[in-house]
Amino acid sequence: MIYLFQKRRWLYISLSFLSLFAVVILPLFWSINPATASLKKSSTIAIEKADLNVSLLNQGRELYRQGRFAEAANVWQTGAKQYQIQNDTLNQALSLSYLSLAQQELQQLDNSQKSVSKALELLKTAKPTPHAIIWAQVLNQKAGLQLHTGKANAALESWKQAQKYYEQAKDNVGSLGTQINQAQALQNMGFYRRSRKQLEAINKKLKDMPDSQIKVSALRSLGVTLQSMGISKESQDVLIQGYKIAKKIKADNQVSSILQTLGKTAVDLEDPDDALVFFEEAEKAASNSQDKLQSRLKQFKLFADYGVNSHATPLAPQLFRQLNELPPSRTSLYSRINYIAALNKLENSSQIVPLNNLGEMLAKTVKQARQIEDKQAEAYALKQWGEFYRFTGQFSEAEKLTQQSLDIARQLQSDDIIAQSAWELGRLHKQRNHNKEAIANYTEAVNALKAIRTDLVAVNSDVQFSFRESVEPVYRELVGLLLEDKPTQNNLVQARDLIESLQIAELDNFLREACLDKAEQIDKIDESATVVYPIILKEGLAVIYSKAGEQLSYSIINKSQSEIEQTLRQLSGALNPVSDIRKRNILSQQVYDWLITPLENQPNLKDTKTLVFVLDGLLRNIPMSALYDGEQYLIEKYAVTLSPGLQLMKGASLKSNNIKAVVAGISEARSGFSSLPGVKSEVKQISSQVNSTSTLLNDSLTEATLSTKVKNGSANVVHLATHGQFSSRLDDTFLLTWDGQINIKELSELLRNRQSRQSRNIDLLVLSACDTAAGDNRAVLGLAGLAVKSGARSTVASLWPVKDKATVALMNSFYQNLLKPGTTKAEALRQAQIEVMKNTDFKEPFFWSAFVLVGNWQ
């Protein structure tokens, strides 16, 4: 456990470390909020009619700000009709524009589209000519809706139009807001470097602006956008800049929200001590009771998540009283839901706040949701109420309420609520041994999660939706259900597909976009390959084996999750060459027996030549080639490769006479990274072996030069011998160039940006000097993300730094074998590893097993 409260740093120290919490912003609502800002400006221009109509629009705005979206929609709908009767086209368009906003919040996307389209039609025919600010606002809302529904290209064009109108109205803030949103659209379209350059230009403009409330709002919005795109370093700098200016000009109304966002960042970075500092400072800086309450609620959730009962216990009754007195709004309803969810994590929670009181609060929350006609909040509250009854053992009531929640979610077609409610209903059935019903509910939950596929943390920022807490368990628990009591082939197929889907979900969440499309079933690519699917469950380790033309088979290791993970951690540490060899061999043989022995005992799988591993959890940290059967390492018996699942790009073996390579590396110390003296020899020797179209060493390896060589050349192999790091955090996964770092998304754009249509993808990407982030148990996820996102059909990379001589020897042997006719990439790597193991001084697995092949092995 992390020792909360043992490093209570001062705020000014903490600010130098942290980056912003990952949030996907609805592009209409950047921090100052172009939509909200426009509500103020355009209304003063357009509304010149009767006081009654002005009152209606103001009433709608106030209801909207309170989170009472259905009521706001009704008011604006009434206003639109009245303006139509009065032939007031401008204000009718404005009302429809506002109505579109409320409909988006209510997930009425078709109606929202109709409202904003009608508003634009009215503006085209309105007399006198509508003011530019009204055009800007409506176009801004249209673009946000387009991005939300996956039409990034159209959204980009709409925001460009909106920018022109904002500039025509001399609204610099609105113009900057649309530019930030354009960068988000570019990101969604895959133009990562263009997007980043635009954001850097915006940041420069903001630095040149005089300090003001508007500047603080814009900086905070820019910081949030940068973080949502995985550019945390820049987002940290921008957010801290905004914080300092807010303090300087005494913009107290913004200080608290900035600190809360920084606190969320620290939570995301698994640094609860810094998070607590930020939340406490946010509470002190709060200029209104709502911000103060939200800061305290975040502190309470932090205590609950880390099991710090001594601090959570006195806070819980205070928060209960405050939350129970709040008037109905979406914010107050979700605050109660999150409060009860956090409270349930505490030991003896029923003794902290009486169960009757919690039940009454949930009943009140559902009643108020119905009162303000907020179906989403009602569904969430019913789900939480059902979970509360499951917690108290009242299963019939729990099932009834959860079913109501699921019914509403289905009506709304709200996949995030469906996922949670169906999962909760599945858990209820599982707990009552109704496995058939449980499997149906879990399957519905998984299908809903697949439909979301983007960064699930951001599906609804008002309700906590953690990937680790709310997504992974759904998949794992369903696999466990399917494998109970001698599973059928259909169950095994579904379980295998679930394991692959979990891999995809993890990578989508890591990359913060749904970028993976099904290519080809793995076991149909190579009849001599067997695919091994292990998955770590609470009740044990399940392994499914798949081979073309054969029925699926499986094995179950009946050990607890903690025992399995402890063994894997010990083996990972024992790979260090200074460790006890006997202990390492015992641990390695143990894992071999779990994963490989059941396979070797099956006669129909004995002709396997290649093992393809779709690894899960801590197994990703173990180089499969180093598993030991007591006499031989696995690599001595089989070619070994890794795969993220179904996402395997088609591609034939590299022909020995058709290898064209860009070979690059940095041997000198650079940007705080140590020198790699062997790189110069590695680059020289590989360039002489293969048909090298370009050789880049040290200062010639810049991002621009590499981009040009890949873009304009015909290379099908890219070999990069430079420092790199894999991490479970997107922004901490990168490759070093002479002039900086290239992150995953920039590398992807660089490698995919080929002029020759006949050579769209790189066949082989080699990263020979990479490392996994220290202390990050899920760092290998970064390798899988890089391998998939780069677009390369195959990637060879090192999991940790290896001595120069060992790397040079292994890489030379790898290319020598690859150049032999008919040799697959997996076999070439296998022969190279055996060569290093048997014919050099680097016999220990540490030196040769660090290199892994990900993707197509042929």
Side-chain angles (χ1 to χ4, degrees):
M1 174 182 170
I2 297 178
Y3 293 97
L4 196 60
F5 309 115
Q6 288 198 3
K7 49 172 185 167
R8 298 288 298 278
R9 285 171 270 199
W10 293 104
L11 179 62
Y12 73 91
I13 297 176
S14 298
L15 280 171
S16 66
F17 292 101
L18 300 177
S19 58
L20 198 58
F21 179 58
V23 180
V24 175
I25 317 166
L26 179 62
L28 304 177
F29 283 77
W30 58 300
S31 200
I32 182 173
N33 222 321
T36 305
S38 298
L39 287 175
K40 297 176 181 177
K41 293 191 176 184
S42 52
S43 60
T44 61
I45 296 163
I47 300 173
E48 299 173 349
K49 300 293 181 181
D51 289 343
L52 174 62
N53 292 336
V54 175
S55 176
L56 278 174
L57 287 172
N58 285 337
Q59 183 184 348
R61 288 199 298 273
E62 187 56 36
L63 287 167
Y64 185 93
R65 291 190 184 97
Q66 291 176 13
R68 299 165 69 174
F69 303 119
E71 294 170 86
N74 290 336
V75 168
W76 283 328
Q77 205 156 30
T78 300
K81 291 176 181 177
Q82 290 192 9
Y83 281 124
Q84 184 178 14
I85 293 169
Q86 297 171 7
N87 291 321
D88 185 349
T89 307
L90 286 180
N91 280 321
Q92 183 187 356
L94 185 62
S95 300
L96 288 167
S97 170
Y98 295 170
L99 175 61
S100 175
L101 284 175
Q103 288 167 331
Q104 284 186 60
E105 291 291 346
L106 295 168
Q107 292 297 302
Q108 299 171 6
L109 299 184
D110 289 340
N111 288 337
S112 179
Q113 178 63 55
K114 290 175 184 176
S115 296
V116 77
S117 296
K118 180 65 174 174
L120 285 168
E121 288 175 15
L122 290 169
L123 290 180
K124 291 175 184 177
T125 59
K127 300 293 182 182
T129 303
H131 194 280
I133 200 72
I134 300 179
W135 274 106
Q137 174 194 329
V138 179
L139 285 165
N140 187 40
Q141 291 170 23
K142 178 185 178 183
L145 184 60
Q146 288 169 325
L147 192 70
H148 185 65
T149 53
K151 302 171 184 174
N153 206 336
L156 179 64
E157 294 307 311
S158 295
W159 269 317
K160 286 180 178 178
Q161 293 178 49
Q163 181 185 346
K164 291 177 182 177
Y165 282 112
Y166 276 124
E167 289 171 353
Q168 186 179 327
K170 301 189 184 314
D171 184 347
N172 292 332
V173 176
S175 174
L176 285 171
T178 58
Q179 289 174 59
I180 292 174
N181 292 333
Q182 287 171 50
Q184 182 70 66
L186 286 167
Q187 173 89 356
N188 284 20
M189 293 164 65
F191 298 121
Y192 306 108
R193 290 183 293 169
R194 278 177 60 191
S195 174
R196 185 160 184 168
K197 286 178 182 177
Q198 176 142 334
L199 290 170
E200 288 170 352
I202 293 167
N203 194 17
K204 188 175 185 302
K205 289 180 185 178
L206 287 172
K207 286 180 179 178
D208 294 337
M209 286 176 61
D211 294 344
S212 65
Q213 287 263 11
I214 288 174
K215 182 176 180 178
V216 172
S217 294
L219 284 167
R220 181 171 179 269
S221 300
L222 176 58
V224 170
T225 302
L226 286 164
Q227 176 59 29
S228 75
M229 296 163 66
I231 311 173
S232 290
K233 177 68 170 67
E234 288 84 346
S235 95
Q236 168 190 317
D237 295 341
V238 167
L239 197 66
I240 292 173
Q241 183 186 354
Y243 168 80
K244 289 178 178 178
I245 294 171
K247 292 290 288 183
K248 177 182 174 183
I249 65 173
K250 298 183 179 179
D252 297 336
N253 60 322
Q254 301 207 55
V255 170
S256 181
S257 62
I258 292 174
L259 288 168
Q260 285 189 52
T261 308
L262 282 167
K264 290 179 182 178
T265 305
V267 171
D268 190 43
L269 294 171
E270 300 181 355
D271 190 342
D273 300 285
D274 281 334
L276 180 60
V277 171
F278 281 120
F279 291 146
E280 287 177 339
E281 292 297 326
E283 181 184 354
K284 293 175 187 176
S287 58
N288 58 68
S289 59
Q290 183 60 34
D291 280 347
K292 189 178 289 289
L293 175 59
Q294 290 303 316
S295 299
R296 300 188 82 204
L297 187 57
K298 288 178 174 64
Q299 291 175 53
F300 178 70
K301 184 178 185 304
L302 184 69
F303 297 142
D305 286 343
Y306 284 91
V308 188
N309 280 39
S310 58
H311 286 71
T313 300
L315 193 54
Q318 301 170 29
L319 284 171
F320 177 86
R321 288 190 295 271
Q322 290 178 279
L323 290 167
N324 216 25
E325 293 170 1
L326 291 177
S329 71
R330 178 171 286 186
T331 301
S332 65
L333 300 179
Y334 285 158
S335 294
R336 289 179 194 151
I337 294 167
N338 287 332
Y339 165 76
I340 293 174
L343 184 65
N344 286 341
K345 295 179 181 180
L346 298 176
E347 294 178 9
N348 303 318
S349 59
S350 59
Q351 297 177 19
I352 300 172
V353 178
L355 292 176
N356 288 343
N357 290 3
L358 293 177
E360 290 172 3
M361 174 181 273
L362 284 164
K364 181 178 180 179
T365 302
V366 171
K367 181 180 178 180
Q368 289 186 345
R370 290 168 178 165
Q371 178 185 331
I372 65 173
E373 300 178 56
D374 193 329
K375 287 289 187 181
Q376 284 180 288
E378 182 184 351
Y380 275 121
L382 284 166
K383 178 261 176 185
Q384 190 61 51
W385 200 0
E387 191 171 331
F388 169 76
Y389 275 129
R390 176 169 63 86
F391 177 74
T392 59
Q394 297 168 273
F395 298 120
S396 294
E397 284 299 316
E399 185 176 334
K400 178 182 175 182
L401 292 167
T402 309
Q403 186 64 59
Q404 289 179 34
S405 171
L406 183 56
D407 290 342
I408 294 172
R410 287 168 177 165
Q411 292 169 16
L412 294 172
Q413 297 182 333
S414 182
D415 288 314
D416 57 322
I417 309 177
I418 290 173
Q420 296 185 65
S421 297
W423 179 32
E424 176 59 24
L425 200 56
R427 285 190 288 187
L428 279 164
H429 285 306
K430 180 183 176 184
Q431 196 159 350
R432 301 170 78 181
N433 294 318
H434 300 162
N435 281 13
K436 183 178 179 181
E437 293 85 351
I439 288 173
N441 292 135
Y442 271 94
T443 301
E444 183 176 10
V446 166
N447 289 338
L449 291 171
K450 289 179 181 178
I452 298 168
R453 286 202 65 189
T454 51
D455 186 356
L456 293 165
V457 175
V459 168
N460 191 323
S461 59
D462 294 310
V463 176
Q464 307 299 331
F465 203 73
S466 159
F467 183 87
R468 298 296 296 275
E469 293 180 2
S470 303
V471 180
E472 283 193 49
V474 184
Y475 286 86
R476 296 185 191 281
E477 289 167 19
L478 179 51
V479 170
L481 278 168
L482 290 167
L483 295 181
E484 284 186 3
D485 303 325
K486 296 182 179 179
T488 64
Q489 275 296 303
N490 286 339
N491 281 5
L492 286 174
V493 169
Q494 188 179 351
R496 178 198 64 185
D497 293 346
L498 280 166
I499 295 171
E500 291 179 328
S501 295
L502 176 57
Q503 297 273 328
I504 296 166
E506 283 189 283
L507 288 172
D508 282 345
N509 191 63
F510 170 74
L511 293 166
R512 303 181 191 185
E513 59 183 294
C515 63
L516 308 177
D517 297 313
K518 183 172 179 177
E520 188 170 352
Q521 183 72 39
I522 297 176
D523 57 13
K524 293 180 181 178
I525 288 178
D526 183 355
E527 293 185 358
S528 67
T530 295
V531 189
V532 183
Y533 298 91
I535 185 167
I536 300 171
L537 307 173
K538 283 186 178 179
E539 57 273 17
L541 176 67
V543 190
I544 296 175
Y545 305 99
S546 176
K547 190 173 188 295
E550 303 288 348
Q551 287 195 330
L552 299 181
S553 57
Y554 77 102
S555 68
I556 299 287
I557 309 302
N558 293 312
K559 289 185 176 293
S560 69
Q561 180 179 349
S562 59
E563 285 182 275
I564 292 165
E565 292 183 341
Q566 182 182 10
T567 299
L568 296 175
R569 288 191 184 94
Q570 289 175 341
L571 175 55
S572 180
L575 289 170
N576 191 307
V578 300
S579 299
D580 184 340
I581 295 176
R582 182 174 173 277
K583 179 182 178 182
R584 182 192 69 210
N585 287 343
I586 291 172
L587 291 166
S588 184
Q589 190 167 355
Q590 174 69 80
V591 179
Y592 189 102
D593 288 341
W594 290 347
L595 301 182
I596 310 302
T597 300
L599 169 69
E600 294 181 327
N601 289 335
Q602 299 179 42
N604 57 339
L605 299 179
K606 281 190 173 179
D607 61 343
T608 295
K609 295 180 180 178
T610 301
L611 290 178
V612 184
F613 290 92
V614 181
L615 294 177
D616 176 54
L618 292 180
L619 281 164
R620 294 190 182 112
N621 297 335
I622 306 299
M624 293 293 108
S625 59
L627 295 185
Y628 189 62
D629 69 357
E631 296 180 359
Q632 290 180 296
Y633 292 107
L634 188 66
I635 199 65
E636 296 180 81
K637 303 163 74 173
Y638 308 95
V640 174
T641 187
L642 307 179
S643 173
L646 288 171
Q647 274 46 60
L648 197 60
M649 300 188 69
K650 299 178 183 179
S653 302
L654 277 171
K655 303 300 181 184
S656 58
N657 60 352
N658 192 37
I659 293 181
K660 299 177 181 178
V662 172
V663 184
I666 297 177
S667 62
E668 299 177 9
R670 190 71 179 167
S671 302
F673 290 87
S674 61
S675 63
L676 298 169
V679 162
K680 186 177 291 188
S681 172
E682 180 181 340
V683 168
K684 182 179 178 181
Q685 291 183 40
I686 292 171
S687 296
S688 66
Q689 285 188 62
V690 300
N691 181 4
S692 176
T693 61
S694 301
T695 301
L696 307 174
L697 185 63
N698 293 326
D699 59 359
S700 62
L701 177 50
T702 64
E703 181 179 350
T705 305
L706 180 61
S707 176
T708 300
K709 298 298 183 183
V710 171
K711 177 180 178 181
N712 297 333
S714 57
N716 53 5
V717 174
V718 175
H719 182 108
L720 301 175
T722 180
H723 281 290
Q725 177 175 275
F726 304 125
S727 168
S728 61
R729 293 186 56 80
L730 180 63
D731 47 301
D732 289 335
T733 299
F734 61 86
L735 294 175
L736 183 70
T737 61
W738 191 259
D739 55 345
Q741 296 176 0
I742 305 178
N743 65 34
I744 284 183
K745 294 189 174 182
E746 291 167 338
L747 180 66
S748 165
E749 185 180 356
L750 185 153
L751 293 178
R752 291 174 185 266
N753 191 14
R754 312 291 298 280
Q755 286 189 339
S756 171
R757 291 187 178 181
Q758 296 178 345
S759 182
R760 290 182 179 175
N761 291 101
I762 298 295
D763 283 306
L764 176 62
L765 172 65
V766 180
L767 310 170
S768 64
C770 289
D771 191 7
T772 47
D776 187 344
N777 287 331
R778 304 175 78 233
V780 182
L781 186 63
L783 168 57
L786 188 150
V788 170
K789 187 63 180 168
S790 71
R793 293 187 173 93
S794 312
T795 300
V796 172
S798 57
L799 296 178
W800 54 78
V802 176
K803 286 188 176 182
D804 281 1
K805 289 183 179 179
T807 300
V808 172
L810 190 141
M811 284 295 131
N812 279 336
S813 180
F814 171 67
Y815 281 104
Q816 286 171 6
N817 285 291
L818 193 61
L819 289 168
K820 294 177 182 177
T823 303
T824 66
K825 299 163 196 167
E827 183 61 25
L829 181 59
R830 173 176 177 261
Q831 293 297 335
Q833 289 176 313
I834 292 173
E835 171 72 20
V836 171
M837 179 201 315
K838 295 190 172 181
N839 298 323
T840 73
D841 294 330
F842 305 106
K843 303 183 185 303
E844 291 291 320
F846 176 86
F847 298 108
W848 49 263
S849 69
F851 296 91
V852 296
L853 172 65
V854 182
N856 197 302
W857 59 91
Q858 291 188 318

